Each structure stands twice: as structure tokens, then as C-alpha cells.
Amino acid sequence: MKKGYSAVWLGLCVLISTHTYANSTPKELDTLFEQVQTLRQTHGSYHPRLTEAFSDLGDQQLRLQQYEQAVDSFNEALHLERINQGLYSPNQQPILERLVLALQAQGKWQQATQTQKQAYWLLNRQHQNESPTLLQGLKRLGNWHTSAYMSRDVLDYQHLLEAQRLYNRYIQLNDAHHNKNNLNLVPVLVGLMNANYYLSIATPVAESGFEAQFADSGQKINELDIHKANSFRNGKLAIERIIDVYTNNPKTSQAGKLKAMIVMGDWHLLHQKRQSAQAFYKQAYELTKSEGLSTEIFSTLTELPEIRPNSTNDNLMMNESSIKVLAQFNVSTAGQVRSIKILEPAEDKHNIKYIRETKKRLRNSRFRPFIVDGKLTTAEGVKKYYSYPLTEEEQAKKASTKKS
């Protein structure tokens, strides 16, 4: 994965669904192979119990990182399920989801996307528009497409458009059949906001599928340009809706509304609307004081956006395969970085590229401005670590230096 992303979501946290597996052993895999063979010999190649057997085998192969074999097993399980239960069997859904994981692990994103489309088609066929299961499926698939965009070496913004479509459908169905101030809307609206942020910074990877032409000027712009132009407004509307949901749920903690108001400030700051951003930050501070909540968030160093593209993981464990750079700097009332100093490591031929990368990143960064006693304040002398994975060659050099 050449282009990684921070796992922290912008402003409010929405979790992209992931799967974790317990430790497995090859011996357990052999047992599952034997079960498959026994079932085939005893009951034939199409017995219904083989669906579960191949599904379990695929799970085990997934745990052991045998991804190609896992894909084969899940495909066999799907084939048997369709033969025995029909093309529209709902039991395909969990198998399809695990097949996606195996394809992702191999970097086969196109096939993974097609498999997700199958899962979405099946979901729509099985459930009515008001079904909570359908809504959860829409959210899960929207999160997957955002995750797919973040995880790919080539960032295909079509994933963002699909995520946006799925989130919007969730909102429309919720508003038509459920409470418009349902708190379950919040993570979906956060997902929609994130998709719009990514669209605002996306770059095309190929020619777009269509062009729009303005009749009055003849100027042509591509699909991505249209979505980039709308991204600020769409994201702002999503945050406004989050604030409305919390406002109409007065029995819930004001912390959610407060965070959404701060994120609104972040959103404007990231889109170069400094005055509006400062106004939202001050409103959020006043709400904090009036509700008797802690104001610590306004004096905590926060790099924006909280979901951001970068080539490093700031939370990377400091171990033998990483190098850390400690920077000291000031943050202006506009969230800009000033007076950068590198405190460690020493600037030498081994560390210079990481020091330069850190300085470059800081110059291009925005941080949430500090507020002290209700006033925007320049934060001086703040410190932050950045960590970078070492290449295999660099790790070898580091090890030989220690030995000598």
C-alpha cells in the first residue's frame, strides 16, 4: 500500500467495518480439508453441507493469509449455495463480504468492487426500503467504498462518488420511513462529509466518463471538477444536519453538538474561509462554557483534517523499523505553522530526508487554532512527533551500526 491514510475520521469518528481473526494453525486447516473430502465422498459434490464447509475453509485460509486459496473456497461456497438455495439466497451475503476481504488482501480492487456490487444488489432484493437491515447495509457499503479509496495505490475517486450515493440513499430512506432526527444518522452524515472532503482534494487518474459543457461559454469541465466545486457546500450541509440532529435530541450530551460545531470551524478553515472558521470556533467555545464542559479541546494540538492523506503513520510504534522526528513550532490564529525547529534526530546524511519531509509536511499543514479565555491565541513552542517506516536497506544499516 503506497499511499496510506490516517485511521482517524474527520471530526467525528465513524468506524469502517473491519474483521479481526483469532490465531489459526495449519493443522486446523488440514482438518477442514478432510471434512470437505469426507462430505464429497459420502454425500456427493453438491451436498448443502459443503457450502458451510467451504465457507469455514475460506475463513481459515483468510486467517492464515492464504488469500488466493480463500478466494477459491468462498467462490465454491457461493456456487454451492446458489445451486442448493437459488440465485437470491440471503445466505450469500456473509460469504460475499468475506470474499471481498480476500480480494482486497491481494490488491484485486476491481474484483472486490464487483463483488460488493453483487452484495448490494442482493441486499436491495431482499429488503424493503424501510428495513433497518437495508439501512445498515447501505452504511456499511458506503464505508467500504471510502475505505477502498483510502487503501488503493491508485486513488480512484469513483469510489467516493459511490460512497456519496450510498450515504445519500440512506438519508433519503431514513427521512421517508424513520425519525428525521434519528441519532443513527450521525455516522452516515460524517461519512458523507468525509467523502466530500476527499473529493475536494482528489486528482483525476484517467479521463472522466463524461464532460459537461456550459452553453454560455463553451467551457468544458470534467466530472471530478463538478464534484469538487460542490464538495464544500455538500460537506457543510452534512455538518449542519449533524448539529440539527443533536439539537433535536436535547436529552443527549451536548458534547456531540459541541464537536460538530468545532468540525464546522475545521471545515471552513480547510476551505480557506478563515473568518467564518473563527466565528464557529468561538460559538463552540461559548457553548462549552455555558454547558460547564471542559475547554481542553481548544488547547489540544490537532492537525487538520483529522482524516488526512499522508505517507506516514503518526501513531506508528517506535521500534527498530521506524524513525521518529520531533518538531517544535508555533500555530497561528489562522492555524498555520510558523517557526519550525527540529529537536531530534540530529541532521545528518541518514536522517536528512525525514527531516525535510517533516518540514515540508508542517509547512503544508493546518492545525486547529488554540482558544484561551475565549480568545484565539498563537500557540508557541508546541511539539509533535512524526514517525516514518525505514526501508529494509536502512534497517540493515541501522543494525550494523549498532553491532559495531
Side-chain angles (χ1 to χ4, degrees):
M1 188 166 62
K2 297 178 182 177
K3 295 184 181 179
Y5 281 75
S6 167
V8 185
W9 288 96
L10 173 58
L12 303 168
C13 181
V14 57
L15 298 177
I16 295 174
S17 60
T18 58
H19 293 249
T20 55
Y21 296 99
N23 292 331
S24 303
T25 66
K27 185 177 180 180
E28 292 171 325
L29 189 63
D30 291 340
T31 301
L32 289 170
F33 270 120
E34 290 174 6
Q35 289 177 3
V36 167
Q37 293 304 319
T38 300
L39 283 169
R40 277 181 162 169
Q41 292 169 6
T42 307
H43 302 288
S45 298
Y46 299 102
H47 193 273
R49 285 175 58 190
L50 277 167
T51 301
E52 183 178 347
F54 271 107
S55 182
D56 289 344
L57 180 61
D59 284 341
Q60 192 76 353
Q61 290 163 333
L62 201 55
R63 294 185 185 104
L64 293 170
Q65 300 181 12
Q66 298 178 3
Y67 302 123
E68 187 173 351
Q69 295 90 330
V71 168
D72 291 339
S73 296
F74 290 136
N75 277 326
E76 186 66 24
L78 285 170
H79 177 63
L80 290 165
E81 180 64 23
R82 290 162 183 164
I83 288 174
N84 288 292
Q85 302 299 329
L87 291 174
Y88 312 128
S89 168
N91 297 329
Q92 296 175 78
Q93 197 76 38
I95 303 173
L96 287 167
E97 290 173 10
R98 299 200 296 280
L99 175 57
V100 167
L101 291 176
L103 291 166
Q104 278 181 226
Q106 295 180 85
K108 296 181 177 179
W109 288 99
Q110 187 172 0
Q111 292 179 42
T113 300
Q114 290 301 318
T115 305
Q116 282 288 18
K117 288 181 179 179
Q118 291 180 47
Y120 179 58
W121 175 83
L122 197 62
L123 193 70
N124 272 294
R125 182 178 179 84
Q126 292 171 356
H127 301 283
Q128 300 296 320
N129 284 341
E130 67 273 13
S131 166
T133 302
L134 176 59
L135 292 179
Q136 287 302 311
L138 291 170
K139 181 176 72 172
R140 185 178 65 252
L141 291 172
N143 290 346
W144 182 85
H145 278 286
T146 306
S147 178
Y149 176 81
M150 293 190 295
S151 302
R152 293 192 63 176
D153 289 345
V154 178
L155 303 180
D156 185 353
Y157 70 88
Q158 293 293 334
H159 279 295
L160 299 177
L161 300 184
E162 185 63 14
Q164 195 177 55
R165 186 179 73 82
L166 291 162
Y167 291 137
N168 278 323
R169 186 175 178 215
Y170 181 110
I171 295 166
Q172 291 165 1
L173 293 179
N174 178 85
D175 290 354
H177 302 286
H178 303 282
N179 183 355
K180 292 185 178 181
N181 295 310
N182 190 337
L183 287 169
N184 290 333
L185 277 169
V186 171
V188 177
L189 290 162
V190 171
L192 183 58
M193 172 185 65
N194 289 330
N196 277 286
Y197 170 71
Y198 281 130
L199 280 169
S200 74
I201 62 171
T203 54
V205 295
E207 288 297 319
S208 178
F210 71 90
E211 291 180 325
Q213 181 168 346
F214 294 111
D216 55 344
S217 65
Q219 180 185 7
K220 294 182 178 180
I221 60 175
N222 64 30
E223 178 188 31
L224 180 57
D225 289 333
I226 295 172
H227 291 287
K228 286 168 76 78
N230 293 329
S231 62
F232 170 75
R233 178 178 178 274
N234 290 338
K236 180 172 178 285
L237 289 173
I239 303 169
E240 287 176 347
R241 181 74 185 270
I242 293 172
I243 294 172
D244 286 344
V245 168
Y246 279 119
T247 300
N248 288 289
N249 284 275
K251 292 183 180 180
T252 61
S253 169
Q254 289 295 297
K257 180 178 179 179
L258 165 66
K259 182 63 176 178
M261 291 176 67
I262 293 172
V263 171
M264 182 68 89
D266 296 343
W267 190 257
H268 282 77
L269 191 65
L270 288 167
H271 288 85
Q272 314 302 320
K273 299 179 185 296
R274 175 183 170 184
Q275 297 301 320
S276 296
Q278 292 178 344
F280 282 112
Y281 288 138
K282 288 179 180 178
Q283 287 177 28
Y285 185 88
E286 290 168 3
L287 174 64
T288 303
K289 296 293 286 185
S290 66
E291 294 291 328
L293 301 172
S294 170
T295 59
E296 183 180 358
I297 192 171
F298 296 99
S299 57
T300 300
L301 184 67
T302 305
E303 188 173 357
L304 301 177
E306 290 184 54
I307 178 172
R308 62 183 181 277
N310 60 64
S311 58
T312 67
N313 180 358
D314 300 341
N315 297 315
L316 188 69
M317 290 181 65
M318 304 304 175
N319 53 37
E320 294 299 314
S321 62
S322 68
I323 185 170
K324 61 180 179 180
V325 177
L326 177 60
Q328 178 179 290
F329 50 93
N330 299 340
V331 177
S332 74
T333 56
Q336 296 171 321
V337 173
R338 300 284 186 265
S339 305
I340 301 171
K341 294 180 181 178
I342 301 299
L343 302 183
E344 58 181 66
E347 189 168 321
D348 59 32
K349 64 179 182 179
H350 302 296
N351 302 320
I352 187 64
K353 72 175 182 178
Y354 300 112
I355 290 172
R356 287 174 177 169
E357 173 64 23
T358 301
K359 287 181 177 180
K360 179 182 177 181
R361 176 170 170 178
L362 282 168
R363 291 189 191 102
N364 294 325
S365 293
R366 281 293 181 97
F367 287 81
R368 185 178 294 144
F370 282 45
I371 298 181
V372 179
D373 296 329
K375 295 181 179 179
L376 287 158
T377 306
T378 296
E380 299 182 349
V382 297
K383 298 176 183 178
K384 182 174 174 63
Y385 275 107
Y386 291 90
S387 59
Y388 303 87
L390 294 173
T391 64
E392 290 183 6
E393 182 180 355
E394 289 169 332
Q395 290 180 48
K397 286 181 179 178
K398 188 175 181 180
S400 63
T401 301
K402 279 195 171 185
K403 288 179 182 178
S404 60

